[in-house]
């Protein structure tokens, strides 16, 4: 039989199709207004959560989009004062003042924040000048300015001025508030200083021992600093109580005493027991060589001794 014709597979044309991904269209950046809205939303959340460091970074991001945003400027200045960065806050207020011009009453002036930063940096003179400018430009003095002025007067030792300012604030403060309690505390501190300066120092002198008070009345005024130091040390030694000779011995807790140790009888342990023997002070003391100076290596005996020991000829082998 003739062979069957083999059916040839029909070859379909192969299409080389690669999985080509279409490139996504580039996203258009959000408008500046939307980006600012998102940043302010995160800023409010960070301030409410107490994350002040991150809130300052968010303010810097807002400044990149809008460098003259008043809300961001006020917020960053508040955050710097809250985080005790008074030098940075002062530099920021000065930069804002210079950018706004010489008119300190414009919206760009932050004189109160500047005065507070100067007060916290212990620059009381500059802070007083800024407060003076604030009081001149306002008909009604703000309560914050009065608080800061009272604190400044208290620090400078003007307790009467601080006392008057705190009384003025107390008259207009609402009772049962935190401000009311703070004013009462500061008013009491100023009153104590005033009482001591007027009559308290006399009672303090009366409370001193008679030996000290008599020596103060009869002692001549010091001429040099060394003499003053010597008189103060003599007064301190005179007023100090005499040392008690017989002091009670401390009782030893037997629970902490190891076994076979009698307190006061058993000698104490060697304090150098934790050091190496070569590092102790007693190392090398009391050592003596045994025998009388033995022969060194390579020493030879005299000839007579060799003859006596050899006897008749052959010497004995050393074991």
């Amino acid at each position: 039989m003739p062979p069957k014709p083999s059916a040839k597979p029909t070859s379909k044309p192969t299409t080389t199709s690669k999985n080509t991904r279409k490139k996504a269209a580039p996203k258009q950046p959000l408008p500046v207004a939307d980006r600012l809205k998102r940043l302010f939303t995160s800023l409010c959340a960070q301030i409410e959560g107490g994350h002040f460091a991150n809130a300052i970074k968010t303010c810097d991001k807002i400044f990149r989009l809008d460098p003259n945003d008043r809300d961001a400027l006020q917020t960053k200045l508040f955050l710097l004062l809250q985080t005790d960065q008074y030098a940075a806050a002062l530099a920021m207020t000065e930069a804002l003042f210079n950018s706004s011009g010489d008119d300190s009453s414009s919206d760009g002036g932050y004189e109160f924040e500047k005065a507070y930063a100067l007060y916290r940096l212990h620059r009381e003179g500059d802070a007083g000048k800024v407060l003076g400018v604030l009081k001149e430009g306002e008909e009604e003095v703000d309560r914050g300015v009065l608080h800061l002025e009272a604190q400044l007067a208290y620090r400078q030792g003007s307790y009467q001025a601080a006392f008057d300012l705190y009384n003025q604030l107390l008259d207009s403060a609402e009772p049962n508030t935190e401000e009311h309690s703070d004013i009462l505390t500061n008013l009491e501190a100023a009153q104590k200083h005033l009482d001591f300066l007027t009559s308290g120092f006399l009672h303090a002198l009366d409370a001193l021992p008679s030996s000290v008070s008599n020596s103060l009345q009869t002692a001549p005024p010091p001429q040099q600093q060394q003499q003053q130091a010597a008189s103060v040390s003599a007064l301190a030694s005179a007023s100090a109580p005499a040392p008690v000779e017989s002091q009670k011995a401390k009782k030893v807790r037997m629970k902490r005493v190891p076994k076979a140790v009698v307190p006061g009888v058993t000698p104490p342990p060697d304090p150098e027991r934790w050091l190496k023997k070569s590092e102790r002070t007693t190392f090398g003391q009391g050592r003596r060589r045994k025998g009388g100076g033995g022969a060194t290596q390579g020493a030879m005996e005299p000839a007579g001794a060799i003859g006596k020991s050899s006897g008749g000829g052959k010497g004995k082998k050393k074991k």
Side-chain angles (χ1 to χ4, degrees), residues 12-56:
K12 296 181 180 180
T14 59
T15 58
T16 59
S17 60
K18 295 181 179 180
N19 295 329
T20 58
R21 295 180 180 178
K22 294 182 179 180
K23 293 183 178 180
K27 293 183 179 180
Q28 295 182 356
L30 291 175
V32 177
D34 295 342
R35 295 171 67 183
L36 287 174
K37 186 177 180 181
R38 290 187 178 184
L39 288 173
F40 272 107
T41 302
S42 61
L43 179 62
C44 294
Q46 289 167 352
I47 293 175
E48 290 178 358
H51 307 289
F52 293 154
N54 295 333
I56 293 174

Side-chain angles (χ1 to χ4, degrees), residues 2-317:
K4 294 181 180 181
S6 61
K8 294 181 180 180
T10 58
S11 60
K12 296 181 180 180
T14 59
T15 58
T16 59
S17 60
K18 295 181 179 180
N19 295 329
T20 58
R21 295 180 180 178
K22 294 182 179 180
K23 293 183 178 180
K27 293 183 179 180
Q28 295 182 356
L30 291 175
V32 177
D34 295 342
R35 295 171 67 183
L36 287 174
K37 186 177 180 181
R38 290 187 178 184
L39 288 173
F40 272 107
T41 302
S42 61
L43 179 62
C44 294
Q46 289 167 352
I47 293 175
E48 290 178 358
H51 307 289
F52 293 154
N54 295 333
I56 293 174
K57 295 179 182 178
T58 306
C59 290
D60 294 336
K61 293 179 182 178
I62 294 174
F63 293 147
R64 295 171 191 168
L65 301 176
D66 188 4
N68 298 322
D69 193 289
R70 291 295 173 189
D71 296 331
L73 289 171
Q74 185 72 25
T75 304
K76 184 178 181 181
L77 189 56
F78 165 77
L79 291 170
L80 290 175
L81 293 175
Q82 286 291 321
T83 53
D84 300 340
Q85 302 182 35
Y86 303 115
L90 179 61
M92 186 176 178
T93 55
E94 291 177 349
L96 291 172
F97 180 78
N98 295 331
S99 63
S100 62
D102 295 336
D103 187 7
S104 62
S105 62
S106 61
D107 293 338
Y110 295 95
E111 286 82 10
F112 178 75
E113 288 80 1
K114 181 179 180 180
Y116 182 74
L118 289 169
Y119 165 76
R120 296 306 297 262
L121 291 172
H122 297 277
R123 294 170 59 180
E124 290 82 4
D126 298 335
K129 293 178 182 179
V130 178
L131 286 177
V133 174
L134 275 175
K135 293 178 69 176
E136 290 176 0
E138 295 181 359
E139 296 180 358
E140 235 181 273
V141 183
D142 187 49
R143 294 184 64 83
V145 176
L146 291 177
H147 273 284
L148 186 56
E149 187 180 2
Q151 292 179 7
L152 189 61
Y154 182 85
R155 179 180 287 182
Q156 291 178 333
S158 303
Y159 302 114
Q160 186 62 49
F163 181 78
D164 297 338
L165 288 170
Y166 282 129
N167 276 324
Q168 182 181 350
L169 288 168
L170 188 64
D171 294 338
S172 57
E174 296 182 1
N176 300 327
T177 57
E178 186 177 357
E179 182 189 6
H180 190 271
S181 61
D182 290 342
I183 292 172
L184 286 177
T185 303
N186 296 334
L187 184 63
E188 184 180 359
Q191 182 66 51
K192 286 183 178 180
H193 280 84
L194 286 175
D195 293 342
F196 180 80
L197 291 176
T198 54
S199 61
F201 71 96
L202 296 174
H203 299 292
L205 289 175
D206 294 338
L208 290 174
S210 59
S211 59
V212 178
S213 59
N214 293 333
S215 60
L216 286 175
Q217 293 177 2
T218 57
Q223 297 179 358
Q224 296 180 359
Q225 188 176 3
Q226 295 179 355
Q227 294 180 358
Q228 184 178 3
S231 61
V232 171
S233 61
L235 291 174
S237 61
S239 61
V244 181
E245 296 181 357
S246 60
Q247 295 182 354
K248 295 182 179 179
K250 294 182 179 180
K251 295 183 179 179
V252 181
R253 297 182 181 180
M254 298 305 297
K255 293 181 179 180
R256 299 184 179 181
V257 178
K259 296 181 179 180
V261 174
V262 180
V265 178
T266 306
D270 186 9
E272 297 182 354
R273 62 186 181 277
W274 307 114
L275 300 176
K276 296 180 180 179
K277 289 185 177 180
S278 58
E279 296 178 357
R280 298 180 186 179
T281 56
T282 58
F283 179 73
Q285 296 180 3
R287 288 191 173 185
R288 295 180 180 177
R289 291 184 178 181
K290 296 181 179 179
T296 58
Q297 185 177 0
M300 297 179 64
E301 296 182 1
I306 294 174
K308 291 179 182 178
S309 61
S310 59
K314 295 180 180 181
K316 295 182 181 179
K317 294 182 179 179

